[in-house]
Amino acid sequence: MDPNSILLPPQSGTLSHLAEPCMEDARSPSPQKLARDSLFSCSQVPSSSLADPDWFWDEHIQAKRARVETIVQGMCLSPSPLVPGSTQSRDSPRCAEKARERKRKQSLPMQQGPPKPGPARDRGNRKGLGGPCVREQLHLLKQQLRHLQEHILQGTEPGDPASGPGGSEKGKGPLRAKQRNGHGSSPWTMDSDHHQGFSRDLSGVEKYRASEVEHQPEEPGFLPSGTEALLEFLREELTRTVSQAVDSVLQKVLLDPPGHLAQLGRCFQGLVLQGRSEPSASEGGACKDPLPLTTLPRRAQPQAGVPLGSLSLAKPLDSPSYPVSPRMIPKPYQDPPANCPSTMPSCIQENQILSQLMGHGPNGYWDSSPSQDPSSRSHPSSESALRPWGAVRLRPWALNQQQYSLTFPSPRLEHLPLLPSVKMEQEGLQAVTNTLSFSSVHISFEGLNSGHLKKAKLMFFFTRYPSSNLLKAYFPDVQFNRCITSQMIKWFSNFREFYYIQTEKFARQAISEGVKNPKMLVVLRDSELFRVLNMHYNKGNDFQVPDCFLEIASVTLQEFFRAVSAGKDSDPSWKKPIYKIISKLDSDIPEIFKSSSYPQELFRS
DNA sequence: CCTTGTCCTG
DNA sequence: CAGGACAAGG
């Protein structure tokens, strides 16, 4: 008998309160609605399909691709292969098996969600465009490069009106300043601006590689001084252009199917790990605590330490609703990036990598810098550190990649004067973080992203059976259509499944442990059942689970207990009555959830 | 017929 | 978690 899993209250009779839906409304911390829609313009970035054979077997393209890859690899700074040639890896036998399958009942026009490998080929209403577009852009960029080269080398015009002869100056005069100021004062700058700044920053590191890759050997020493200025300028321009090319390619690739993401993820992961292994000046020993699960309730819940006798169920009147508005508990940075075992499903892996990377938000990184054995901590509460979690799965990669490029370019570059001061860097990164995470919400355009999923999970604490209308009301930034709606409904269906399975399991466990009175079963925050559920819907434990959810869970547990102990589980549909009961216990969802940027806005500032 | 929900599978 | 089959309700 595990005392933690099921509590046996000394007295019962409090269950009548349970049916009372916990209503919470009076607290609506004025969700700030941003005029985000105005930024929604830049969203139709075409995506590429690396799986397109045409794309690969075009010789012409391959050359360019090789160059880009060289650069990308250089950015990763890891000699890890990334084997470009073996991309044809999946020859899934999707042919024979399905052939004799029955008729597909409803062939929905297309899936909105992340495309699945395999049959997803024909549904691409947007995927198909990717390859050609990237190709086109690469071509254009290359042309521009060539023009530029000719232009400069002919020495026709000493002063290019567009950008001016930067000369010995570092070249990025006005834009640099604008970027700094802009990010400092208003993080939500326009996307184009951020994009500029983004590639601009890259150039600091990228410069070396770019010149390696793109330049013929030169001897500046022999050149006349005027030419040297030109040379410098040319370098800057090339650097910038290449950076932009890489950036845009990365962006397109990142916007694509998870498979590619995961691939890049592994690459970046290597980068991160490498970066982390760098000795850091602020090395503090304050992170030996891996934050075991057992500490979760204690940290989040002051009442976790309350004597077991005073059950939350016994005091529903104290808290007409759960007293605290749902909030994200600012969690001290804890988790250094971990090496994701490659045995994990790719989606999980992706999420993990993402969250780990995102966990290294500016503050988190600088505040503590553990150099830990990555393998010692595979996944516990990794998502907890996921700060701007609404930031989708796309940009953060780029962000972090950049972040680490700047921070740990290489053992040698590390000593270059790239970092004027830590504080400055920190601010800049914060700004970049904000900008990126913000704009990326819009870059994700249609479809549901991981942020929506997480939000849905949190909403599950309030409602198990949300109507489609409710969902529409609470996801204002989602363009609902049939597919999206059913996908989200499916999410909740899956949530329920997990929830019921777990609860039933614990009910049976209680029975097997000899519990007689169902009213003895109460779910508390330190219950094992709660731990499991919380782990599922609130992985990082960065959300205050409402008390009403505990009550619902208790009711569910008791209902399962009753049914099973009465032997009703022999009936094939014995769960139906339970479902019906639970379906009536949905609570109102706090208003703040209606904000399209709900959890992100809590991370700002 | 369409939507919603469950079950089962991967 | 997504897909698909299937059933039930409007």
Side-chain angles (χ1 to χ4, degrees):
Chain A
M1 172 116 72
D2 180 3
N4 274 340
S5 66
I6 292 152
L7 287 175
L8 311 177
Q11 61 191 10
S12 52
T14 58
L15 278 182
S16 56
H17 295 287
L18 292 180
E20 199 172 79
C22 42
M23 38 192 162
E24 26 27 35
D25 36 15
R27 54 185 152 46
S28 47
S30 69
Q32 321 167 5
K33 293 250 175 182
L34 302 172
R36 316 161 64 221
D37 297 346
S38 58
L39 298 176
F40 211 155
S41 51
C42 55
S43 51
Q44 53 155 342
V45 185
S47 45
S48 74
S49 170
L50 291 182
D52 185 352
D54 294 340
W55 200 86
F56 274 125
W57 302 122
D58 185 342
E59 290 183 359
H60 206 82
I61 297 308
Q62 269 204 322
K64 294 170 191 165
R65 182 167 173 273
R67 286 165 62 189
V68 172
E69 265 177 7
T70 306
I71 296 170
V72 170
Q73 276 186 321
M75 285 158 45
C76 287
L77 286 178
S78 77
S80 64
L82 187 66
V83 193
S86 66
T87 34
Q88 196 66 326
S89 55
R90 57 111 182 281
D91 44 0
S92 56
R94 58 174 178 202
C95 37
E97 295 288 322
K98 302 265 179 177
R100 62 202 199 114
E101 206 58 33
R102 301 115 201 245
K103 34 135 201 192
R104 290 277 168 265
K105 219 165 194 170
Q106 43 179 3
S107 59
L108 291 175
M110 47 131 205
Q111 284 307 106
Q112 277 291 358
K116 294 288 131 190
R121 185 167 291 277
D122 50 67
R123 54 170 73 122
N125 58 340
R126 56 174 196 186
K127 295 300 168 205
L129 305 171
C133 278
V134 175
R135 205 184 312 177
E136 227 171 22
Q137 185 145 6
L138 272 175
H139 193 66
L140 274 176
L141 285 169
K142 191 174 181 183
Q143 275 187 335
Q144 288 175 359
L145 269 177
R146 208 173 290 133
H147 283 340
L148 194 62
Q149 266 178 325
E150 290 172 2
H151 192 65
I152 301 283
L153 289 180
Q154 283 174 358
T156 49
E157 291 181 7
D160 187 321
S163 46
S168 60
E169 216 258 305
K170 276 305 176 184
K172 355 192 156 142
L175 266 171
R176 253 284 192 246
K178 177 185 175 187
Q179 169 195 343
R180 287 220 179 99
N181 299 336
H183 287 330
S185 58
S186 163
W188 310 125
T189 47
M190 294 300 284
D191 190 58
S192 60
D193 182 34
H194 114 251
H195 193 76
Q196 292 290 335
F198 181 72
S199 7
R200 208 51 66 102
D201 274 344
L202 197 58
S203 62
V205 174
E206 191 60 22
K207 179 182 303 181
Y208 302 91
R209 318 218 161 259
S211 40
E212 279 176 17
V213 174
E214 298 290 342
H215 280 275
Q216 329 283 354
E218 302 169 279
E219 270 96 55
F222 296 149
L223 295 175
S225 63
T227 314
E228 199 156 347
L230 276 179
L231 191 78
E232 186 66 26
F233 172 63
L234 175 58
R235 276 213 181 99
E236 293 299 335
E237 275 312 299
L238 282 175
T239 295
R240 189 177 61 83
T241 313
V242 169
S243 297
Q244 281 178 347
V246 171
D247 199 12
S248 61
V249 168
L250 266 182
Q251 180 174 338
K252 287 179 173 56
V253 170
L254 288 173
L255 279 167
D256 246 351
H260 305 150
L261 241 184
Q263 254 196 10
L264 282 170
R266 265 168 239 129
C267 171
F268 288 154
Q269 186 185 348
L271 171 67
V272 169
L273 288 175
Q274 192 163 334
R276 297 294 297 185
S277 68
E278 291 291 331
S280 169
S282 59
E283 187 97 4
C287 69
K288 54 173 182 282
D289 180 12
L291 195 61
L293 299 172
T294 53
T295 68
L296 290 184
R298 205 158 308 281
R299 199 162 40 76
Q301 287 303 313
Q303 70 212 71
V306 162
L308 300 184
S310 71
L311 300 171
S312 60
L313 282 180
K315 50 169 183 175
L317 295 181
D318 307 23
S319 51
S321 61
Y322 72 92
V324 275
S325 63
R327 68 175 195 274
M328 319 298 280
I329 298 175
K331 179 177 176 172
Y333 170 78
Q334 287 278 351
D335 302 309
N339 198 352
C340 295
S342 54
T343 58
M344 286 196 294
S346 64
C347 55
I348 296 183
Q349 200 172 31
E350 172 190 338
N351 283 339
Q352 295 243 327
I353 297 173
L354 169 60
S355 44
Q356 283 153 2
L357 284 177
M358 295 181 65
H360 292 273
N363 298 324
Y365 176 78
W366 295 103
D367 287 347
S368 70
S369 61
S371 69
Q372 264 200 355
D373 174 18
S375 63
S376 69
R377 30 168 53 267
S378 50
H379 56 272
S381 73
S382 59
E383 244 187 69
S384 60
L386 188 142
R387 293 283 179 65
W389 59 260
V392 206
R393 60 229 305 187
L394 311 176
R395 269 344 197 64
W397 289 106
L399 166 65
N400 283 276
Q401 167 260 337
Q402 158 142 16
Q403 210 167 305
Y404 284 98
S405 294
L406 282 172
T407 310
F408 302 112
S410 83
R412 282 175 300 129
L413 298 181
E414 185 181 13
H415 300 297
L416 292 178
L418 282 174
L419 307 176
S421 76
V422 168
K423 185 172 191 301
M424 222 167 155
E425 185 72 8
Q426 185 173 347
E427 287 171 355
L429 289 176
Q430 176 70 67
V432 172
T433 301
N434 290 340
T435 306
L436 286 179
S437 62
F438 177 72
S439 59
S440 58
V441 169
H442 302 280
I443 282 184
S444 75
F445 44 103
E446 18 145 316
L448 300 173
N449 58 41
S450 59
H452 297 133
L453 176 61
K454 181 152 185 174
K455 181 173 175 176
K457 283 182 172 180
L458 295 185
M459 285 171 63
F460 184 78
F461 285 126
F462 300 91
T463 174
R464 268 60 56 189
Y465 291 84
S467 67
S468 58
N469 283 332
L470 185 144
L471 292 178
K472 286 169 186 167
Y474 278 88
F475 288 91
D477 60 330
V478 173
Q479 284 185 322
F480 279 90
N481 57 36
R482 225 187 308 191
C483 294
I484 297 284
T485 306
S486 51
Q487 187 188 358
M488 203 175 277
I489 287 179
K490 178 75 180 180
W491 280 357
F492 278 86
S493 180
N494 286 330
F495 298 162
R496 259 172 275 145
E497 192 172 7
F498 180 83
Y499 171 76
Y500 285 131
I501 287 175
Q502 293 301 318
T503 311
E504 178 191 352
K505 195 172 79 181
F506 279 87
R508 290 185 185 277
Q509 181 180 326
I511 292 175
S512 71
E513 286 169 355
V515 177
K516 296 296 181 199
N517 189 344
K519 295 178 180 179
M520 311 276 274
L521 301 177
V522 173
V523 177
L524 292 183
R525 291 178 191 272
D526 52 358
S527 303
E528 182 65 14
L529 176 57
F530 176 81
R531 189 191 71 76
V532 172
L533 296 175
N534 188 57
M535 209 49 166
H536 194 73
Y537 308 114
N538 182 24
K539 219 172 222 114
N541 198 42
D542 41 14
F543 178 79
Q544 265 277 9
V545 178
D547 285 332
C548 62
F549 178 73
L550 293 178
E551 299 172 5
I552 305 298
S554 300
V555 175
T556 315
L557 184 63
Q558 291 159 12
E559 288 303 324
F560 270 110
F561 180 92
R562 282 198 182 90
V564 173
S565 52
K568 289 181 181 174
D569 55 341
S570 55
D571 182 342
S573 60
W574 65 282
K575 294 177 181 176
K576 290 284 169 59
I578 302 179
Y579 295 164
K580 210 175 88 182
I581 293 175
I582 303 306
S583 68
K584 291 175 181 168
L585 297 182
D586 278 7
S587 329
D588 291 333
I589 303 171
E591 286 293 314
I592 191 174
F593 274 86
K594 282 184 178 167
S595 166
S596 60
S597 58
Y598 163 48
Q600 297 127 67
E601 67 189 20
L602 296 177
F603 288 130
R604 284 206 312 261
S605 79

